[in-house]
Amino acid sequence: DTAVSQTPKYLVTQMGNDKSIKCEQNLGHDTMYWYKQDSKKFLKIMFSYNNKELIINETVPNRFSPKSPDKAHLNLHINSLELGDSAVYFCASSPPAGYNEQFFGPGTRLTVL
Amino acid sequence: DAKTTQPPSMDCAEGRAANLPCNHSTISGNEYVYWYRQIHSQGPQYIIHGLKNNETNEMASLIITEDRKSSTLILPHATLRDTAVYYCIVRASNTGNQFYFGTGTSLTVIP
């Protein structure tokens, strides 16, 4: 009964491939997020999304795209993977705007070879 | 969102109080102070937040100075499981809900 889950936990792939990371939350939250944590451990917001609005961090390449089939899921699609995309990706969720706590998933470690 | 400054690392003896400082001298009136932590290989975990008054919950206490330019997170009886990176974040509640994490303080609890 994990609150925020991600699959896969580890992903190893070649440069140029297209891959997806799945995220699901069973908390009934309205807003979901993707964060990227690089090798230096900096944790940076990539997207925040609810059923009304997608907010994109302007530094995120357009090879990255969130897809939400329903309120409980926010998947991350990455096209034409590059070496620099290697990182740990965290999904998170929170109740409607203004809420103070975000609940994070366990992370997906992506390695691009 | 205001920038925060934290010491890169700290040690604390098991069973003692861990006091983690954070400077946020450019904080605005509508910005809250939040603390999260990240235990190795896990996602960040919410600890506590506050605006002006000191706050306490089952995990920690948050002391905010009167001028709000700095704060201290207190773990009253640190355990080995409290070893983690602790992030101090300031954010207005209406800024699209993103949290901007800095470099944090790596706390090591020593047996």
Side-chain angles (χ1 to χ4, degrees):
Chain A
D1 55 349
T2 304
V4 181
S5 59
Q6 296 178 228
T7 53
K9 187 170 177 61
Y10 299 96
L11 181 57
V12 180
T13 188
Q14 299 287 333
M15 268 194 333
N17 285 349
D18 302 337
K19 290 293 179 184
S20 295
I21 304 171
K22 294 184 178 181
C23 178
E24 176 182 3
Q25 53 95 4
N26 62 5
L27 299 167
H29 288 167
D30 288 333
T31 307
M32 297 183 73
Y33 314 81
W34 277 103
Y35 287 82
K36 176 182 179 181
Q37 188 167 40
D38 61 23
S39 58
K40 295 182 179 179
K41 303 296 184 182
F42 291 116
L43 192 63
K44 296 180 181 178
I45 183 73
M46 299 178 71
F47 306 99
S48 67
Y49 182 80
N50 61 24
N51 57 5
K52 299 175 185 176
E53 188 177 17
L54 170 67
I55 299 174
I56 303 172
N57 184 318
E58 59 201 19
T59 66
V60 175
N62 57 15
R63 298 181 294 104
F64 290 78
S65 58
K67 298 277 194 295
S68 180
D70 54 60
K71 200 173 82 166
H73 296 83
L74 183 67
N75 303 325
L76 182 64
H77 296 269
I78 315 170
N79 295 324
S80 302
L81 278 156
E82 301 177 358
L83 294 176
D85 298 333
S86 295
V88 181
Y89 292 84
F90 289 99
C91 176
S93 73
S94 69
Y99 198 75
N100 295 300
E101 181 176 355
Q102 290 185 5
F103 297 80
F104 283 78
T108 295
R109 180 173 295 278
L110 170 66
T111 303
V112 182
L113 303 176
Chain B
D1 291 333
K3 184 177 178 180
T4 62
T5 304
Q6 300 177 250
S9 64
M10 292 181 63
D11 292 338
C12 177
E14 187 178 16
R16 304 296 294 269
N19 297 290
L20 293 93
C22 180
N23 287 322
H24 32 79
S25 59
T26 60
I27 192 170
S28 300
N30 66 340
E31 288 181 318
Y32 290 72
V33 180
Y34 296 82
W35 284 85
Y36 276 73
R37 74 179 182 184
Q38 186 174 21
I39 296 170
H40 181 63
S41 297
Q42 297 183 22
Q45 176 190 23
Y46 166 85
I47 302 173
I48 200 167
H49 76 280
L51 181 64
K52 298 179 185 177
N53 300 321
N54 299 336
E55 302 288 344
T56 296
N57 63 20
E58 64 279 3
M59 289 183 68
S61 294
L62 174 60
I63 308 298
I64 302 174
T65 57
E66 191 169 344
D67 63 7
R68 304 210 320 126
K69 293 184 177 182
S70 65
S71 61
T72 302
L73 178 75
I74 301 172
L75 307 178
H77 306 285
T79 70
L80 299 180
R81 287 176 294 181
D82 292 322
T83 293
V85 177
Y86 287 77
Y87 296 96
C88 169
I89 305 162
V90 293
R91 189 201 72 167
S93 62
N94 61 348
T95 52
N97 295 315
Q98 295 98 325
F99 283 97
Y100 294 92
F101 291 79
T103 54
T105 295
S106 178
L107 174 69
T108 302
V109 180
I110 302 168

